[in-house]
Amino acid sequence: MIETSRPPSFSMMLLVILSILSIFSFTNTHAHHCSNDFLSEAKNRSLINITFCKRYTESNGVEVAIHLHENTRKIDIMVGAKLKEEEETGWLAWGLNPGEEARMIGTQALIGIKTKNKGLLKDTYNITGYTKLGCQLLPSPIDLNISNFKFIHITELEYHVILATIILPNQYDLSRLNQVWQVGINIGAVGTKELKMHGKGLMNYDSSETINLRTGKGRGNRIHNSSKIRKVHGILNIIGWGVVLPIGVIIARNFREFPLPWLGWKKCHISCQTIGYLVGTTGWAVGIWLGKASKYYSFHKHGTYGLLIFAFATVQMLFFKLKPGESDKYRMYRNMFHHVVGYSLMIGICINILKGIHIIHLDYTSWKPTYLGIVSCLAFIFLVFEIVSWFKFLCDKFGLWILCAKCIPNKESNEKKGSKKDGKAQSQVQPSETPIRADN
């Protein structure tokens, strides 16, 4: 067997990993300053000296502007979001929670509703623990002094907007104000103002923040609200499970003997699987931490897929040590199990990574196209090798050496081709059985 190339160096593999990291940006895009159009509209509606203004791009794209009159504890608010035009109904909610945390239960909310006939309704709602249990959410009085409460549609912005003036009771701390917002689609029967459950993605669960109206700064109510940790979890899993492991599979499948014989294939295969396993396991551990740190929500299917991937990947790694001898009768069954589990893992990994991208709502960023591009490249390489390997197998099986030697020259086919030529030459030059007479 001829060695045709050298195994990649550690520096080259590190360069590949850093390149992938640069594609998946770590930028925290959870909150930004308000858009210029929204800010301009807020100022036109008497919110001149805006104390606090943010756009939550990863939390339904809601924008919040607040003007604080500190002497009177009065605030003017403007909350806007795009309700889906293709949906007949929808609702926008914003409220304050007097409790210790910025969370849904306990929130005193102002909610605007878009009805089927494009009518606009508004009312106040007290969000209790019964709401989380699935009980009807209907209008109710709240413990806030509210005036100038409006729900309008601004055509130029394509926004539905809540406007109100609120006098805050003394129990609300201006330097630690818990605000909650939400966007939903479904409502109850016409005329009831009943709201149905909102979506169950991270952009819904992360729709809360504790803000300081005096400094204009805000922070999430849970330590992992920063999308950086989630992105670290995703990047490690994409690199470990989704890139390095498949490369190891391709090496083991196609670099043993054919089409590219390589003496170092086994060492490189083990290296890729080990690195992929360690990086992927690190990402999985970060995911376990994120799940444990989530008090109020979880993603069971994504977590179950991740646990199964880790478990079967661990079994695959143990097979490097628990390998029967060449003459062992169980070796064939071990190889079958190893191959079936390996290919099943590749499918499960791809599905779970796409689930994770969907959960953190990066479908419409560069994440999903980049990952699908990587998967497509690996699948294309694997398919090309498979076609060549099967072509060679058919040549071996049916003896199509003349055709195969032109397409895929190799030592075995050339030997068979040579032996056929030698046999033909010997049949053409055979000694005559009749002795040759010498002329006298």
Side-chain angles (χ1 to χ4, degrees), residues 14-35:
L14 182 61
L15 181 62
V16 172
I17 293 175
L18 289 176
S19 300
I20 297 174
L21 287 175
S22 66
I23 294 172
F24 300 101
S25 172
F26 281 108
T27 305
N28 184 358
T29 57
H30 181 67
H32 297 277
H33 293 295
C34 289
S35 62

Side-chain angles (χ1 to χ4, degrees), residues 34-44 63 78 156-157:
C34 289
S35 62
N36 292 332
D37 292 338
F38 184 81
L39 185 61
S40 176
E41 189 66 34
K43 289 181 177 180
N44 291 337
E63 299 197 58
M78 177 173 169
E156 295 78 10
L157 299 180

Side-chain angles (χ1 to χ4, degrees), residues 385-413:
F385 280 140
E386 283 297 300
I387 292 173
V388 174
S389 298
W390 275 98
F391 189 72
K392 189 257 182 186
F393 169 76
L394 294 175
C395 289
D396 287 341
K397 187 174 182 65
F398 298 106
L400 304 175
W401 301 112
I402 296 176
L403 177 61
C404 295
K406 294 179 181 179
C407 301
I408 313 172
N410 58 60
K411 184 177 179 181
E412 186 178 358
S413 64

Side-chain angles (χ1 to χ4, degrees), residues 62-77:
V62 172
E63 299 197 58
V64 180
I66 301 177
H67 175 208
L68 170 65
H69 305 267
E70 191 164 356
N71 295 332
T72 59
R73 296 182 61 85
K74 182 176 74 172
I75 60 172
D76 299 316
I77 67 159

Side-chain angles (χ1 to χ4, degrees), residues 152-283:
I152 62 174
H153 180 254
I154 302 176
T155 306
E156 295 78 10
L157 299 180
E158 297 182 352
Y159 267 29
H160 284 81
V161 172
I162 293 174
L163 293 164
T165 299
I166 304 172
I167 298 177
L168 297 175
N170 292 328
Q171 68 186 103
Y172 290 89
D173 186 355
L174 296 179
S175 61
R176 196 178 181 281
L177 194 66
N178 298 323
Q179 67 160 343
V180 180
W181 63 91
Q182 195 55 261
V183 173
I185 296 175
N186 299 320
I187 62 175
V190 177
T192 62
K193 294 185 181 179
E194 179 192 355
L195 304 180
K196 297 298 185 181
M197 182 66 180
H198 56 72
K200 296 183 178 181
L202 279 178
M203 67 178 180
N204 300 105
Y205 292 128
D206 280 351
S207 299
S208 60
E209 187 177 43
T210 300
I211 61 177
N212 187 334
L213 287 182
R214 292 190 173 99
T215 62
K217 295 181 179 179
R219 60 179 177 82
N221 65 314
R222 289 178 287 277
I223 189 171
H224 66 282
N225 263 2
S226 171
S227 61
K228 286 185 179 180
I229 300 177
R230 291 171 184 153
K231 288 181 179 179
V232 168
H233 164 66
I235 289 170
L236 290 175
N237 284 326
I238 287 173
I239 293 174
W241 300 137
V243 177
V244 182
L245 279 185
I247 290 175
V249 171
I250 292 174
I251 290 172
R253 173 70 176 168
N254 299 287
F255 286 79
R256 292 188 185 189
E257 298 178 359
F258 188 84
L260 297 175
W262 178 22
L263 291 176
W265 74 267
K266 188 172 183 180
K267 187 180 294 185
C268 192
H269 169 62
I270 295 175
S271 298
C272 284
Q273 303 307 83
T274 303
I275 293 171
Y277 176 77
L278 293 176
V279 174
T281 300
T282 304

